[in-house]
Amino acid sequence: MWIYQKKLQYPVNITCPNPRMAKALMAQYGGPDSELGAAMRYLTQRFSMPDNRVKATCNDIGTEELGHWEMIGAMIYQCLRDAPLKEMEAAGLAGYYTMHGKGVYPADPNGVPFTASYIQCTGDPIADITEDMAAEQKARATYEHLMTLTDDASLLNPLRFLREREIVHFQRFGECLEILQNL
Amino acid sequence: MMTSTELLRKISEYQFVTVELNLYLDTHPGDELARADYYYYSARLKEVMELYEAAYGPLMNFGHSPTDAGSYVDSAWPWE
Ligand SMILES: [Fe+2]
């Protein structure tokens, strides 16, 4: 089971409305390589992993990703919270506003809703861990793209933190692959 | 006394160390030095969590904070 802790893993304090970045951040909230996809992917793959170390890694990284999903949701919320409707429209969010208001909905920046087809669980541990390693690299690349889109420190600091976590996760999954290859 | 922001920062620092060590120990459960570090920093984390909760109310739900659930509702949510 999971216990909620009423704090973010890394603080998010965005005071300046930024609908353009809210839209871009949706890549990591509801896109194919999003934190939501990461959490669901690892937490569902863990059941059939044949080694306790790999089960633990999928379980614990999956859990950390839920905390990252919460951080991205907080960032989108704070970017939209005080944004005037005109600015949301100018950022291309008229369609989003129509359907979701200022709520935080798991879709990508182009409005495509999150779907389980973004993740796989083949039940083959080597195939699954290799997917996880690729997922971490894709998330890292997405964070780098997001960081080139803004010079606001209140966005850059959490993005930098999240990017570094992807690198650590990639390292741990790489060790899992080695463990599986030596079973 | 530390402000709630200062204490939350301390909690986040110790959590960062313990998450890092936890993930490392998932793939290296036999590393005795890392296990000792994990043990040390989880005790530090427990201390600052208790300090925070005594002063500013419960951080966790479902009975994991030794305070009343009523004040859990009232404290600020972390995205506000
Ligand atoms: Fe990750």
Side-chain angles (χ1 to χ4, degrees):
Chain A
M1 77 174 288
W2 278 267
I3 302 301
Y4 184 67
Q5 200 174 87
K6 205 172 175 183
K7 67 181 284 299
L8 300 176
Q9 190 186 16
Y10 183 98
V12 171
N13 292 304
I14 301 159
T15 47
C16 185
N18 196 335
R20 184 183 63 85
M21 282 306 290
K23 186 179 184 196
L25 285 163
M26 287 172 196
Q28 282 306 87
Y29 196 74
D33 312 310
S34 61
E35 299 292 353
L36 176 60
M40 296 302 112
R41 183 181 293 113
Y42 312 149
L43 290 176
T44 209
Q45 288 176 354
R46 72 198 158 127
F47 293 105
S48 50
M49 286 299 172
D51 181 276
N52 279 343
R53 292 166 291 182
V54 182
K55 281 190 191 99
T57 303
C58 290
N59 187 85
D60 295 343
I61 293 183
T63 299
E64 188 183 357
E65 306 289 17
L66 284 174
H68 296 169
W69 191 55
E70 183 184 37
M71 280 177 64
I72 296 288
M75 292 173 82
I76 295 171
Y77 170 72
Q78 292 180 7
C79 282
L80 292 179
R81 182 171 45 188
D82 300 318
L85 201 47
K86 276 268 168 278
E87 279 182 32
M88 283 184 71
E89 270 187 84
L93 286 173
Y96 183 91
Y97 177 80
T98 306
M99 289 198 288
H100 311 297
K102 290 185 175 183
V104 182
Y105 179 74
D108 78 7
N110 302 311
V112 181
F114 183 79
T115 158
S117 60
Y118 290 158
I119 66 169
Q120 225 324 7
C121 176
T122 64
D124 179 296
I126 302 261
D128 286 349
I129 286 294
T130 308
E131 176 189 345
D132 302 346
M133 292 174 70
E136 293 297 334
Q137 289 299 343
K138 289 188 280 180
R140 177 197 49 79
T142 308
Y143 279 121
E144 287 173 14
H145 296 159
L146 284 166
M147 288 164 70
T148 60
L149 288 171
T150 183
D151 48 18
D152 180 341
S154 69
L155 282 153
L156 281 172
N157 290 336
L159 288 173
R160 196 173 290 125
F161 174 85
L162 290 167
R163 175 191 173 275
E164 284 172 13
R165 297 313 293 153
E166 309 303 358
I167 294 168
V168 172
H169 294 170
F170 177 76
Q171 170 73 26
R172 298 281 92 90
F173 282 132
E175 291 159 3
C176 286
L177 183 62
E178 225 182 284
I179 288 170
L180 291 167
Q181 284 165 337
N182 291 313
L183 283 183
Chain B
M1 197 169 90
M2 283 200 264
T3 66
S4 74
T5 313
E6 286 166 345
L7 271 172
L8 278 175
R9 199 196 155 86
K10 270 273 158 240
I11 293 171
S12 294
E13 285 173 8
Y14 286 133
Q15 271 175 349
F16 181 77
V17 178
T18 48
V19 168
E20 269 296 78
L21 285 165
N22 190 150
L23 295 185
Y24 173 81
L25 283 165
D26 283 348
T27 53
H28 303 77
D31 189 322
E32 291 302 332
L33 269 176
R35 286 171 82 139
D37 280 349
Y38 183 80
Y39 183 74
Y40 175 81
Y41 284 107
S42 57
R44 299 289 81 72
L45 174 59
K46 190 166 182 285
E47 281 168 8
V48 286
M49 292 260 307
E50 281 170 4
L51 272 178
Y52 179 91
E53 292 188 317
Y56 303 107
L59 272 176
M60 307 219 279
N61 58 1
F62 297 172
H64 287 265
S65 287
T67 21
D68 68 294
S71 50
Y72 168 79
V73 177
D74 289 334
S75 62
W77 287 87
W79 53 83
E80 298 296 350

